[in-house]
């Protein structure tokens, strides 16, 4: 798979504000936050889009969801809540072709999303 900004961050070639690091994933602060708290949970495995996830990835996807909830809790978002978002391909607004789960919180989210 082609290099992306996230593969470079995972390789330590580009710095990032890391809030979680384990054998399966990292979580970093988004460089252009869309909410008071905006984190990205990024698997080490380079899956291009959530549409490319395979049945053998379900445990990883579950782990990423748990890490998202854990880092949200650590940011103090647990009681008021937050939003988790997977953007997928063009219509979903995905810019980086390496899956990442957005954790957005610290303000009231709108519905429907833009
Ligand atoms: P997407 O649009 O693909 O769902 O989300 C990509 C996210 O990555 C965007 O929210 C964007 O601000 C963030 N981003 C892009 N480049 C960098 C970077 O170099 N560092 C960090 N921390 N976030 C980035």
């Amino acid at each position: 798979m082609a290099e992306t900004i996230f593969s470079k961050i995972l390789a330590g070639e580009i710095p990032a504000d890391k809030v979680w690091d384990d054998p399966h994933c990292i979580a970093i602060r988004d460089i252009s936050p869309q909410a008071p708290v905006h984190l990205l949970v990024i698997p080490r495995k380079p899956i291009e889009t959530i549409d490319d996830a395979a049945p053998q990835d379900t445990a990883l996807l579950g782990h990423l969801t748990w890490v998202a909830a854990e880092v949200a809790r650590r940011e103090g978002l647990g009681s008021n809540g937050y939003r988790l978002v997977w953007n997928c391909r063009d219509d979903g607004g995905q810019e980086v072709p390496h899956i990442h789960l957005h954790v957005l919180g610290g303000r009231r989210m709108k519905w429907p999303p833009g």
Side-chain angles (χ1 to χ4, degrees), residues 14-87:
I14 292 178
D17 188 354
K18 216 182 275 183
V19 299
W20 183 271
D21 192 336
D22 75 19
H24 306 291
C25 67
I26 59 170
I28 62 172
R29 292 190 195 283
D30 197 292
I31 205 166
S32 175
Q34 302 302 309
V37 176
H38 187 174
L39 308 173
L40 304 169
V41 183
I42 306 169
R44 296 188 184 281
K45 181 175 179 180
I47 302 168
E48 241 178 72
T49 79
I50 197 71
D51 182 57
D52 298 304
Q56 59 267 30
D57 295 320
T58 55
L60 174 61
L61 297 178
H63 179 68
L64 299 175
T65 305
W66 179 82
V67 169
E70 178 64 15
V71 292
R73 252 190 308 275
R74 291 179 180 199
E75 294 288 321
L77 301 177
S79 55
N80 280 348
Y82 51 88
R83 184 167 291 173
L84 303 183
V85 177
W86 295 107
N87 290 330

